[in-house]
């Protein structure tokens, strides 16, 4: 078993999301970890209905306009087992990454390979090299997007 230890599962479950930056080829990639659990079980359960991993990892961008899903100091907006884009309100299934509503309907978030072992989350994606916890603050959206969603949080 190999991989870079990222954080504890408990941290992701308690905070609702956790982000890190990794290198892929010549580019940096933002990745967000989110809880994955059957809605009836709630976010905090150790086993979900989608294969036993309580956490999933996704590239930290909405498929519609490359809007960050997780922002520093805010985290990711989650509702009913979905990660919600803060700009247009598209909701991505936290376990599957698929979206069936809003501007991003019919798309799926890009998954990142992780493993959960002994209560910790490990980066196991051969294409990525861990750089640091958190996100770069260079894309100018520190105050968040101007929402055009009909959803309120």
């Amino acid at each position: 078993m190999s991989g870079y230890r990222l954080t504890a599962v408990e941290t992701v479950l308690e905070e609702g999301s956790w982000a890190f930056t990794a290198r892929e080829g010549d580019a940096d990639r933002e990745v967000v970890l989110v809880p994955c659990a059957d809605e009836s079980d709630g976010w905090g359960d150790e086993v979900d209905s989608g294969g036993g991993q309580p956490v999933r990892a996704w590239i930290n961008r909405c498929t519609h306009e490359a809007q960050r899903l997780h922002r520093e100091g805010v985290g990711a907006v989650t509702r009913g087992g979905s990660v919600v884009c803060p700009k247009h309100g598209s909701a991505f299934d936290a376990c599957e990454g698929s979206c069936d509503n809003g501007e991003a309907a019919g798309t799926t978030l890009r998954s990142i390979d992780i493993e959960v072992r002994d209560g910790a989350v490990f980066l196991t994606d051969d294409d990525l090299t861990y750089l640091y916890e958190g996100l770069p603050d260079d894309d100018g959206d520190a105050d968040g997007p101007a929402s055009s969603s009909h959803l309120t949080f």
Side-chain angles (χ1 to χ4, degrees):
M1 291 186 189
S2 62
Y4 185 87
R5 186 188 185 284
L6 298 168
T7 190
V9 169
E10 183 176 335
T11 300
V12 179
L13 298 178
E14 287 178 1
E15 294 181 11
S17 64
W18 189 88
F20 68 95
T21 302
R23 176 64 50 99
E24 180 179 41
D26 293 335
D28 290 354
R29 301 284 184 230
E30 297 177 14
V31 181
V32 60
L33 303 177
V34 294
C36 172
D38 184 297
E39 281 184 58
S40 63
D41 295 338
W43 288 113
D45 289 352
E46 279 294 313
V47 178
D48 69 272
S49 60
Q53 282 208 156
V55 174
R56 296 292 195 278
W58 308 105
I59 291 292
N60 187 36
R61 295 287 187 224
C62 176
T63 56
H64 172 236
E65 283 188 0
Q67 173 66 47
R68 278 181 170 159
L69 299 171
H70 173 106
R71 293 190 343 256
E72 291 298 330
V74 177
V77 175
T78 56
R79 178 179 289 164
S82 294
V83 179
V84 181
C85 174
K87 187 166 186 179
H88 292 110
S90 293
F92 297 87
D93 183 279
C95 299
E96 302 298 325
S98 58
C99 179
D100 63 3
N101 74 320
E103 301 288 339
T107 66
T108 301
L109 296 173
R110 180 178 157 204
S111 66
I112 300 301
D113 295 337
I114 59 169
E115 287 183 14
V116 174
R117 299 189 303 261
D118 299 322
V121 182
F122 292 83
L123 175 64
T124 58
D125 197 303
D126 292 336
D127 295 330
L128 296 177
T129 303
Y130 177 87
L131 294 177
Y132 55 87
E133 179 180 344
L135 306 175
D137 57 2
D138 62 353
D139 76 350
D141 72 349
D143 294 327
S147 177
S148 61
S149 171
H150 65 283
L151 301 174
T152 57
F153 302 103

